[in-house]
Amino acid sequence: MSYETILFDVQNGVATVTLNRPTKLNAFNDQMIAEVTAVFKQSSRDKEIRCVVLTGNGRAFSSGQDLGAFTERGDTVSIGEHLRHGYHKLIKQMMTLEKPIIGAINGIAAGAAVGIALATDVRIAADSASFMLAFSKIGLIPDSGVNWLLPRLIGQARAYEMAITADQIPADKALAWGMVNRVVPAGQLGEIAAAWAGSLAAGPTLAFGLTKRAMNQAWETDLAGALAYEAHLQEIAGRSHDNQEGVAAFLEKRTAQFKGE
Ligand code: LHQ
């Protein structure tokens, strides 16, 4: 399938999704929201895909909503409906994808793109990257999951400060605050993200997916609920090929050959 606003490439178990409207700093128009949502859906269905990398083409990760495209729709357009039918489906698709998603944050992420960056599971940022809650600059509140995701990662005081100042938070500060896992030289971002993705795609994908489900669910429950749910999921993982193979490989002192099943 061909796409107009993204590049999509699958190799050796790794799907790479590249936001590709560089002249607009990869701002999201309706088509880009739909195309990114579609490839995450496809990544969930395709057994060959065992890890996804999300990145941007050019100097930005994404500048968020394409404000020109949105304004062209006219006065009658409902922002709530736009969010519900667009970004919400995308964020939920990412958060429930039971495979690791690496965000390779190559440049600025602004507005809704911060929510999308935070909906990846681990983030590697180029040292030139930054995060900006641009919403208040145009009189809006954070959306696209930012109010849920960001305070959990960095605490409410920092998240709220980012929202009301719309300051650009550079990669090193984002690392210190826990928004990203690693910061790497910009020129090496693609290579380092691909290497990490390749190693994750050779891992126990079922266990990686169930871990994501367990941790997401744990936010919604008390300790007893979290313990019960992880025991339930561990039953499933414990019956997998990869559990048998992992234990056998350990006992036989060899490298495990995981299938992701
Ligand atoms: C853009 C954009 C952009 C269009 C750069 N749109 N063209 C949800 C639902 C409904 C409605 C509203 O919003 C939302 C959620 C949101 O995401 S709200 C937040 C939307 N995003 C922003 O407000 C960020 C707007 N962009 C900027 O503040 C700057 O472009 C940043 C700080 C990201 C980068 O600044 P510079 O490095 O100085 O680049 P630039 O401003 O010169 O941009 C380069 C080009 O990209 C330029 O076009 P041009 O034809 O002049 O070269 C910009 O107009 C275009 N562009 N962001 N979001």
Side-chain angles (χ1 to χ4, degrees):
M1 194 165 164
S2 67
Y3 301 96
E4 278 182 31
T5 64
I6 61 170
L7 305 172
F8 184 61
D9 170 65
V10 181
Q11 276 182 50
N12 302 323
V14 177
T16 304
V17 185
T18 306
L19 307 174
N20 191 30
R21 303 183 72 223
T23 58
K24 300 271 182 196
L25 302 189
N26 302 323
F28 277 81
N29 59 10
D30 290 359
Q31 187 161 356
M32 190 189 265
I33 299 171
E35 289 185 351
V36 180
T37 307
V39 293
F40 274 108
K41 195 171 200 173
Q42 183 182 332
S43 300
S44 126
R45 289 179 176 162
D46 186 342
K47 282 192 144 200
E48 300 304 310
I49 296 174
R50 291 168 63 185
C51 180
V52 182
V53 176
L54 177 64
T55 193
N57 185 16
R59 70 183 173 92
F61 174 73
S62 166
S63 57
Q65 171 64 39
D66 185 325
L67 296 174
F70 193 75
T71 307
E72 276 166 23
R73 284 169 155 210
D75 287 345
T76 54
V77 72
S78 150
I79 296 186
E81 285 301 295
H82 180 64
L83 291 170
R84 282 188 282 274
H85 292 293
Y87 292 103
H88 292 190
K89 287 186 180 163
L90 170 56
I91 301 288
K92 286 180 193 164
Q93 194 73 53
M94 293 173 71
M95 298 290 294
T96 57
L97 175 65
E98 296 204 343
K99 300 170 185 182
I101 306 173
I102 297 178
I105 314 301
N106 54 300
I108 189 165
V114 176
I116 290 158
L118 298 183
T120 64
D121 300 308
V122 289
R123 287 161 290 282
I124 315 178
D127 51 10
S128 54
S130 60
F131 296 85
M132 179 191 187
L133 296 186
F135 307 90
S136 62
K137 285 203 161 190
I138 54 169
L140 291 180
I141 70 160
D143 60 29
S144 303
V146 168
N147 297 304
W148 196 87
L149 290 160
L150 192 58
R152 281 172 163 77
L153 277 175
I154 67 173
Q156 184 154 340
R158 285 170 172 162
Y160 190 63
E161 181 185 340
M162 278 184 71
I164 61 175
T165 61
D167 282 347
Q168 242 172 282
I169 304 300
D172 56 348
K173 198 173 199 179
L175 179 68
W177 282 6
M179 283 177 80
V180 300
N181 299 63
R182 297 181 193 174
V183 176
V184 300
Q188 293 171 29
L189 177 68
E191 190 189 325
I192 292 172
W196 198 7
S199 104
L200 290 177
T205 310
L206 178 75
F208 289 164
L210 294 177
T211 305
K212 180 164 167 177
R213 204 199 299 177
M215 288 190 176
N216 282 341
Q217 179 64 24
W219 288 110
E220 313 293 334
T221 187
D222 58 10
L223 175 63
L227 290 171
Y229 197 56
E230 70 185 22
H232 164 70
L233 296 181
Q234 197 68 297
E235 283 284 352
I236 299 170
R239 281 189 227 115
S240 67
H241 163 275
D242 288 345
N243 174 234
Q244 283 183 12
E245 165 63 8
V247 173
F250 173 75
L251 295 175
E252 293 161 21
K253 300 190 188 301
R254 61 176 173 80
T255 305
Q257 300 295 318
F258 292 123
K259 287 187 185 169
E261 296 166 0

PDB file of all heavy atoms in Angstrom, residues 156-181:
ATOM      1  N   GLN A 156       3.272  16.376  38.017  1.00  0.00           N
ATOM      2  CA  GLN A 156       2.298  17.384  37.582  1.00  0.00           C
ATOM      3  C   GLN A 156       2.882  18.795  37.537  1.00  0.00           C
ATOM      4  O   GLN A 156       2.547  19.579  36.649  1.00  0.00           O
ATOM      5  CB  GLN A 156       1.062  17.352  38.486  1.00  0.00           C
ATOM      6  CG  GLN A 156      -0.011  18.307  38.003  1.00  0.00           C
ATOM      7  CD  GLN A 156      -1.404  17.887  38.417  1.00  0.00           C
ATOM      8  OE1 GLN A 156      -1.618  16.733  38.744  1.00  0.00           O
ATOM      9  NE2 GLN A 156      -2.330  18.817  38.421  1.00  0.00           N
ATOM     10  N   ALA A 157       3.777  19.127  38.484  1.00  0.00           N
ATOM     11  CA  ALA A 157       4.299  20.499  38.510  1.00  0.00           C
ATOM     12  C   ALA A 157       5.072  20.811  37.231  1.00  0.00           C
ATOM     13  O   ALA A 157       4.895  21.864  36.617  1.00  0.00           O
ATOM     14  CB  ALA A 157       5.177  20.711  39.739  1.00  0.00           C
ATOM     15  N   ARG A 158       5.930  19.867  36.818  1.00  0.00           N
ATOM     16  CA  ARG A 158       6.700  20.093  35.590  1.00  0.00           C
ATOM     17  C   ARG A 158       5.787  20.070  34.365  1.00  0.00           C
ATOM     18  O   ARG A 158       5.952  20.872  33.436  1.00  0.00           O
ATOM     19  CB  ARG A 158       7.789  19.031  35.440  1.00  0.00           C
ATOM     20  CG  ARG A 158       8.948  19.284  36.388  1.00  0.00           C
ATOM     21  CD  ARG A 158       9.907  18.105  36.407  1.00  0.00           C
ATOM     22  NE  ARG A 158      11.093  18.437  37.178  1.00  0.00           N
ATOM     23  CZ  ARG A 158      11.937  17.546  37.672  1.00  0.00           C
ATOM     24  NH1 ARG A 158      11.727  16.251  37.491  1.00  0.00           N
ATOM     25  NH2 ARG A 158      12.991  17.919  38.356  1.00  0.00           N
ATOM     26  N   ALA A 159       4.830  19.144  34.368  1.00  0.00           N
ATOM     27  CA  ALA A 159       3.923  19.039  33.213  1.00  0.00           C
ATOM     28  C   ALA A 159       3.093  20.311  33.086  1.00  0.00           C
ATOM     29  O   ALA A 159       2.917  20.860  31.985  1.00  0.00           O
ATOM     30  CB  ALA A 159       3.021  17.818  33.362  1.00  0.00           C
ATOM     31  N   TYR A 160       2.615  20.789  34.218  1.00  0.00           N
ATOM     32  CA  TYR A 160       1.777  21.994  34.179  1.00  0.00           C
ATOM     33  C   TYR A 160       2.612  23.209  33.762  1.00  0.00           C
ATOM     34  O   TYR A 160       2.169  24.056  32.988  1.00  0.00           O
ATOM     35  CB  TYR A 160       1.118  22.214  35.545  1.00  0.00           C
ATOM     36  CG  TYR A 160       0.060  23.301  35.529  1.00  0.00           C
ATOM     37  CD1 TYR A 160      -1.085  23.159  34.757  1.00  0.00           C
ATOM     38  CD2 TYR A 160       0.214  24.469  36.266  1.00  0.00           C
ATOM     39  CE1 TYR A 160      -2.053  24.151  34.719  1.00  0.00           C
ATOM     40  CE2 TYR A 160      -0.743  25.474  36.240  1.00  0.00           C
ATOM     41  CZ  TYR A 160      -1.869  25.309  35.462  1.00  0.00           C
ATOM     42  OH  TYR A 160      -2.821  26.299  35.424  1.00  0.00           O
ATOM     43  N   GLU A 161       3.850  23.257  34.270  1.00  0.00           N
ATOM     44  CA  GLU A 161       4.742  24.351  33.859  1.00  0.00           C
ATOM     45  C   GLU A 161       4.964  24.320  32.351  1.00  0.00           C
ATOM     46  O   GLU A 161       4.897  25.358  31.673  1.00  0.00           O
ATOM     47  CB  GLU A 161       6.092  24.236  34.590  1.00  0.00           C
ATOM     48  CG  GLU A 161       7.047  25.369  34.224  1.00  0.00           C
ATOM     49  CD  GLU A 161       8.438  25.220  34.841  1.00  0.00           C
ATOM     50  OE1 GLU A 161       8.602  24.486  35.818  1.00  0.00           O
ATOM     51  OE2 GLU A 161       9.371  25.854  34.310  1.00  0.00           O
ATOM     52  N   MET A 162       5.211  23.133  31.813  1.00  0.00           N
ATOM     53  CA  MET A 162       5.391  23.029  30.354  1.00  0.00           C
ATOM     54  C   MET A 162       4.153  23.520  29.614  1.00  0.00           C
ATOM     55  O   MET A 162       4.250  24.159  28.567  1.00  0.00           O
ATOM     56  CB  MET A 162       5.654  21.564  29.941  1.00  0.00           C
ATOM     57  CG  MET A 162       7.089  21.113  30.104  1.00  0.00           C
ATOM     58  SD  MET A 162       7.337  19.422  29.488  1.00  0.00           S
ATOM     59  CE  MET A 162       7.203  19.669  27.705  1.00  0.00           C
ATOM     60  N   ALA A 163       2.973  23.220  30.183  1.00  0.00           N
ATOM     61  CA  ALA A 163       1.716  23.598  29.514  1.00  0.00           C
ATOM     62  C   ALA A 163       1.515  25.108  29.529  1.00  0.00           C
ATOM     63  O   ALA A 163       1.143  25.698  28.512  1.00  0.00           O
ATOM     64  CB  ALA A 163       0.545  22.889  30.175  1.00  0.00           C
ATOM     65  N   ILE A 164       1.781  25.744  30.665  1.00  0.00           N
ATOM     66  CA  ILE A 164       1.436  27.175  30.760  1.00  0.00           C
ATOM     67  C   ILE A 164       2.550  28.086  30.237  1.00  0.00           C
ATOM     68  O   ILE A 164       2.294  29.243  29.932  1.00  0.00           O
ATOM     69  CB  ILE A 164       1.008  27.585  32.195  1.00  0.00           C
ATOM     70  CG1 ILE A 164       2.121  27.350  33.207  1.00  0.00           C
ATOM     71  CG2 ILE A 164      -0.276  26.853  32.583  1.00  0.00           C
ATOM     72  CD1 ILE A 164       1.789  27.840  34.620  1.00  0.00           C
ATOM     73  N   THR A 165       3.775  27.552  30.120  1.00  0.00           N
ATOM     74  CA  THR A 165       4.850  28.390  29.551  1.00  0.00           C
ATOM     75  C   THR A 165       5.052  28.131  28.059  1.00  0.00           C
ATOM     76  O   THR A 165       5.573  28.993  27.351  1.00  0.00           O
ATOM     77  CB  THR A 165       6.206  28.111  30.239  1.00  0.00           C
ATOM     78  OG1 THR A 165       6.544  26.737  30.020  1.00  0.00           O
ATOM     79  CG2 THR A 165       6.158  28.415  31.722  1.00  0.00           C
ATOM     80  N   ALA A 166       4.691  26.924  27.603  1.00  0.00           N
ATOM     81  CA  ALA A 166       4.980  26.494  26.222  1.00  0.00           C
ATOM     82  C   ALA A 166       6.481  26.600  25.921  1.00  0.00           C
ATOM     83  O   ALA A 166       6.884  26.790  24.775  1.00  0.00           O
ATOM     84  CB  ALA A 166       4.154  27.271  25.194  1.00  0.00           C
ATOM     85  N   ASP A 167       7.293  26.448  26.961  1.00  0.00           N
ATOM     86  CA  ASP A 167       8.752  26.464  26.751  1.00  0.00           C
ATOM     87  C   ASP A 167       9.185  25.231  25.967  1.00  0.00           C
ATOM     88  O   ASP A 167       8.583  24.160  26.101  1.00  0.00           O
ATOM     89  CB  ASP A 167       9.491  26.445  28.106  1.00  0.00           C
ATOM     90  CG  ASP A 167       9.495  27.807  28.773  1.00  0.00           C
ATOM     91  OD1 ASP A 167       9.150  28.803  28.104  1.00  0.00           O
ATOM     92  OD2 ASP A 167       9.827  27.869  29.979  1.00  0.00           O
ATOM     93  N   GLN A 168      10.250  25.399  25.195  1.00  0.00           N
ATOM     94  CA  GLN A 168      10.834  24.278  24.468  1.00  0.00           C
ATOM     95  C   GLN A 168      11.782  23.552  25.415  1.00  0.00           C
ATOM     96  O   GLN A 168      12.762  24.143  25.874  1.00  0.00           O
ATOM     97  CB  GLN A 168      11.629  24.813  23.272  1.00  0.00           C
ATOM     98  CG  GLN A 168      11.087  24.332  21.943  1.00  0.00           C
ATOM     99  CD  GLN A 168      11.754  25.024  20.772  1.00  0.00           C
ATOM    100  OE1 GLN A 168      11.424  26.169  20.453  1.00  0.00           O
ATOM    101  NE2 GLN A 168      12.684  24.351  20.137  1.00  0.00           N
ATOM    102  N   ILE A 169      11.468  22.309  25.753  1.00  0.00           N
ATOM    103  CA  ILE A 169      12.307  21.542  26.685  1.00  0.00           C
ATOM    104  C   ILE A 169      13.331  20.763  25.868  1.00  0.00           C
ATOM    105  O   ILE A 169      12.969  19.873  25.086  1.00  0.00           O
ATOM    106  CB  ILE A 169      11.436  20.561  27.525  1.00  0.00           C
ATOM    107  CG1 ILE A 169      10.325  21.324  28.267  1.00  0.00           C
ATOM    108  CG2 ILE A 169      12.297  19.753  28.487  1.00  0.00           C
ATOM    109  CD1 ILE A 169      10.810  22.387  29.235  1.00  0.00           C
ATOM    110  N   PRO A 170      14.626  21.096  26.014  1.00  0.00           N
ATOM    111  CA  PRO A 170      15.640  20.410  25.201  1.00  0.00           C
ATOM    112  C   PRO A 170      15.846  18.957  25.656  1.00  0.00           C
ATOM    113  O   PRO A 170      15.466  18.585  26.769  1.00  0.00           O
ATOM    114  CB  PRO A 170      16.901  21.253  25.451  1.00  0.00           C
ATOM    115  CG  PRO A 170      16.673  21.950  26.732  1.00  0.00           C
ATOM    116  CD  PRO A 170      15.188  22.101  26.922  1.00  0.00           C
ATOM    117  N   ALA A 171      16.476  18.189  24.762  1.00  0.00           N
ATOM    118  CA  ALA A 171      16.609  16.744  24.976  1.00  0.00           C
ATOM    119  C   ALA A 171      17.279  16.400  26.310  1.00  0.00           C
ATOM    120  O   ALA A 171      16.843  15.478  27.005  1.00  0.00           O
ATOM    121  CB  ALA A 171      17.398  16.138  23.819  1.00  0.00           C
ATOM    122  N   ASP A 172      18.322  17.143  26.692  1.00  0.00           N
ATOM    123  CA  ASP A 172      19.027  16.770  27.928  1.00  0.00           C
ATOM    124  C   ASP A 172      18.130  16.964  29.151  1.00  0.00           C
ATOM    125  O   ASP A 172      18.131  16.162  30.086  1.00  0.00           O
ATOM    126  CB  ASP A 172      20.370  17.519  28.065  1.00  0.00           C
ATOM    127  CG  ASP A 172      20.217  19.034  27.993  1.00  0.00           C
ATOM    128  OD1 ASP A 172      19.128  19.525  27.622  1.00  0.00           O
ATOM    129  OD2 ASP A 172      21.204  19.737  28.310  1.00  0.00           O
ATOM    130  N   LYS A 173      17.307  18.014  29.117  1.00  0.00           N
ATOM    131  CA  LYS A 173      16.377  18.226  30.231  1.00  0.00           C
ATOM    132  C   LYS A 173      15.274  17.163  30.202  1.00  0.00           C
ATOM    133  O   LYS A 173      14.855  16.642  31.248  1.00  0.00           O
ATOM    134  CB  LYS A 173      15.761  19.624  30.116  1.00  0.00           C
ATOM    135  CG  LYS A 173      15.132  20.135  31.393  1.00  0.00           C
ATOM    136  CD  LYS A 173      14.718  21.587  31.166  1.00  0.00           C
ATOM    137  CE  LYS A 173      14.513  22.342  32.430  1.00  0.00           C
ATOM    138  NZ  LYS A 173      14.143  23.737  32.186  1.00  0.00           N
ATOM    139  N   ALA A 174      14.816  16.817  28.993  1.00  0.00           N
ATOM    140  CA  ALA A 174      13.790  15.778  28.860  1.00  0.00           C
ATOM    141  C   ALA A 174      14.304  14.448  29.421  1.00  0.00           C
ATOM    142  O   ALA A 174      13.558  13.689  30.036  1.00  0.00           O
ATOM    143  CB  ALA A 174      13.384  15.617  27.393  1.00  0.00           C
ATOM    144  N   LEU A 175      15.600  14.201  29.238  1.00  0.00           N
ATOM    145  CA  LEU A 175      16.201  12.975  29.783  1.00  0.00           C
ATOM    146  C   LEU A 175      16.224  13.045  31.310  1.00  0.00           C
ATOM    147  O   LEU A 175      15.818  12.105  31.995  1.00  0.00           O
ATOM    148  CB  LEU A 175      17.624  12.801  29.233  1.00  0.00           C
ATOM    149  CG  LEU A 175      18.381  11.574  29.737  1.00  0.00           C
ATOM    150  CD1 LEU A 175      17.750  10.291  29.212  1.00  0.00           C
ATOM    151  CD2 LEU A 175      19.857  11.628  29.314  1.00  0.00           C
ATOM    152  N   ALA A 176      16.674  14.177  31.828  1.00  0.00           N
ATOM    153  CA  ALA A 176      16.751  14.333  33.294  1.00  0.00           C
ATOM    154  C   ALA A 176      15.354  14.224  33.920  1.00  0.00           C
ATOM    155  O   ALA A 176      15.200  13.720  35.036  1.00  0.00           O
ATOM    156  CB  ALA A 176      17.397  15.666  33.643  1.00  0.00           C
ATOM    157  N   TRP A 177      14.337  14.675  33.218  1.00  0.00           N
ATOM    158  CA  TRP A 177      12.963  14.639  33.734  1.00  0.00           C
ATOM    159  C   TRP A 177      12.262  13.292  33.508  1.00  0.00           C
ATOM    160  O   TRP A 177      11.155  13.085  33.985  1.00  0.00           O
ATOM    161  CB  TRP A 177      12.134  15.740  33.060  1.00  0.00           C
ATOM    162  CG  TRP A 177      12.384  17.103  33.611  1.00  0.00           C
ATOM    163  CD1 TRP A 177      13.313  17.472  34.536  1.00  0.00           C
ATOM    164  CD2 TRP A 177      11.666  18.309  33.266  1.00  0.00           C
ATOM    165  NE1 TRP A 177      13.240  18.820  34.790  1.00  0.00           N
ATOM    166  CE2 TRP A 177      12.240  19.357  34.028  1.00  0.00           C
ATOM    167  CE3 TRP A 177      10.619  18.596  32.398  1.00  0.00           C
ATOM    168  CZ2 TRP A 177      11.783  20.675  33.948  1.00  0.00           C
ATOM    169  CZ3 TRP A 177      10.166  19.903  32.315  1.00  0.00           C
ATOM    170  CH2 TRP A 177      10.742  20.926  33.085  1.00  0.00           C
ATOM    171  N   GLY A 178      12.870  12.416  32.725  1.00  0.00           N
ATOM    172  CA  GLY A 178      12.261  11.102  32.490  1.00  0.00           C
ATOM    173  C   GLY A 178      11.300  11.046  31.308  1.00  0.00           C
ATOM    174  O   GLY A 178      10.524  10.106  31.180  1.00  0.00           O
ATOM    175  N   MET A 179      11.373  12.046  30.421  1.00  0.00           N
ATOM    176  CA  MET A 179      10.503  12.005  29.233  1.00  0.00           C
ATOM    177  C   MET A 179      11.080  11.110  28.146  1.00  0.00           C
ATOM    178  O   MET A 179      10.361  10.640  27.277  1.00  0.00           O
ATOM    179  CB  MET A 179      10.345  13.410  28.628  1.00  0.00           C
ATOM    180  CG  MET A 179       9.407  14.291  29.393  1.00  0.00           C
ATOM    181  SD  MET A 179       9.367  15.944  28.662  1.00  0.00           S
ATOM    182  CE  MET A 179       8.278  15.677  27.290  1.00  0.00           C
ATOM    183  N   VAL A 180      12.399  10.963  28.134  1.00  0.00           N
ATOM    184  CA  VAL A 180      13.036  10.105  27.135  1.00  0.00           C
ATOM    185  C   VAL A 180      13.987   9.147  27.841  1.00  0.00           C
ATOM    186  O   VAL A 180      14.434   9.412  28.964  1.00  0.00           O
ATOM    187  CB  VAL A 180      13.814  10.924  26.061  1.00  0.00           C
ATOM    188  CG1 VAL A 180      12.897  11.869  25.321  1.00  0.00           C
ATOM    189  CG2 VAL A 180      14.991  11.677  26.655  1.00  0.00           C
ATOM    190  N   ASN A 181      14.271   8.024  27.177  1.00  0.00           N
ATOM    191  CA  ASN A 181      15.145   7.013  27.769  1.00  0.00           C
ATOM    192  C   ASN A 181      16.615   7.285  27.501  1.00  0.00           C
ATOM    193  O   ASN A 181      17.478   6.948  28.315  1.00  0.00           O
ATOM    194  CB  ASN A 181      14.809   5.631  27.205  1.00  0.00           C
ATOM    195  CG  ASN A 181      13.389   5.222  27.506  1.00  0.00           C
ATOM    196  OD1 ASN A 181      12.451   5.861  27.054  1.00  0.00           O
ATOM    197  ND2 ASN A 181      13.214   4.185  28.292  1.00  0.00           N
TER     198      ASN A 181
END
